[in-house]
Amino acid sequence: MTDYSIPRPVSGDVVELILDDHRLFESLMREMRDSSSDRAGARDAFAAVLVAHGEAEEQQVYPRLRRKDAIDEHEAEHGEEEHAEINQALLELLECKGTDTQKFDDAVEKVNEVLQHHLTEEELTILNPARDEVSEADRQALGSAFLTVRGEHLDAGVTVETVRALVQDAHAEGLLEDEDD
């Protein structure tokens, strides 16, 4: 069993911190695609940092960037919708009993699909405006706020029940379409 460590920086520019997590997501996705790796360990680390990252963005980053007029309400809401889609795909991945099945491979592919779409959009429509329109001092302060919430979620841990509750909340908030629609 491999222990995938999740970096826990204590400060930094919020844009760079978010980008660092994006690269970590991509690395852990590669591990989950590799049948010779500790796929269960990679999945656990991926789930933990993914949820912590998304919750920190929604609680700290998006609202503050809106207040600074770096992004508008639509961009923030779209980011939250994409987080909900990623969490829904993550739930399917976490519900897989083993990591050596076609169901697991299919779930990894689905998570990767929605994740890559989100990372590309977020880097273009949220992080670029943050770089251009938010001062370095404000990005540092926002980085600290992001890391505080991220750390709280990492400390709390992520279970399949945690992700199931996030998906249920997203449905209740109208961020995800019901399967019946």
Side-chain angles (χ1 to χ4, degrees):
M1 182 100 169
T2 307
D3 183 25
Y4 292 96
S5 68
I6 297 172
R8 306 272 305 241
V10 295
S11 66
D13 179 317
V14 71
V15 172
E16 295 307 315
L17 294 167
I18 289 172
L19 288 171
D20 288 346
D21 273 357
H22 288 184
R23 303 300 75 88
L24 178 59
F25 298 151
E26 292 167 342
S27 174
L28 291 167
M29 288 300 307
R30 278 191 302 278
E31 290 294 309
M32 286 188 286
R33 288 190 297 264
D34 181 350
S35 63
S36 68
S37 72
D38 174 14
R39 294 168 118 188
R43 175 178 57 183
D44 292 346
F46 178 79
V49 73
L50 184 71
V51 169
H53 174 98
E55 292 297 297
E57 283 184 337
E58 289 182 23
Q59 292 174 28
Q60 295 294 326
V61 179
Y62 295 171
R64 289 189 187 194
L65 290 179
R66 280 192 59 217
R67 283 196 299 275
K68 299 216 173 272
D69 292 324
I71 63 173
D72 62 25
E73 182 178 349
H74 170 76
E75 289 160 332
E77 186 175 304
H78 187 69
E80 291 177 13
E81 288 168 353
E82 289 186 346
H83 286 169
E85 292 170 4
I86 294 166
N87 286 338
Q88 189 169 39
L90 176 62
L91 180 59
E92 293 173 24
L93 180 66
L94 292 172
E95 288 176 337
C96 291
K97 298 285 188 254
T99 60
D100 60 349
T101 65
Q102 186 63 47
K103 182 178 179 181
F104 180 84
D105 290 348
D106 292 346
V108 167
E109 184 176 347
K110 178 64 176 173
V111 168
N112 190 62
E113 179 184 308
V114 294
L115 177 69
Q116 288 304 321
H117 171 82
H118 174 68
L119 299 185
T120 299
E121 258 189 23
E122 185 172 76
E123 290 174 17
L124 291 170
T125 65
I126 293 178
L127 298 186
N128 278 337
R131 272 188 198 99
D132 297 340
E133 299 172 29
V134 178
S135 73
E136 184 176 338
D138 286 343
R139 289 193 317 267
Q140 290 288 330
L142 187 48
S144 294
F146 169 80
L147 289 173
T148 297
V149 174
R150 181 183 180 271
E152 290 167 357
H153 284 278
L154 287 172
D155 290 343
V158 171
T159 65
V160 69
E161 291 79 17
T162 306
V163 178
R164 188 173 291 117
L166 290 171
V167 170
Q168 289 170 344
D169 289 348
H171 277 289
E173 295 169 19
L175 296 171
L176 288 171
E177 292 181 17
D178 289 326
E179 289 86 28
D180 301 335
D181 292 345

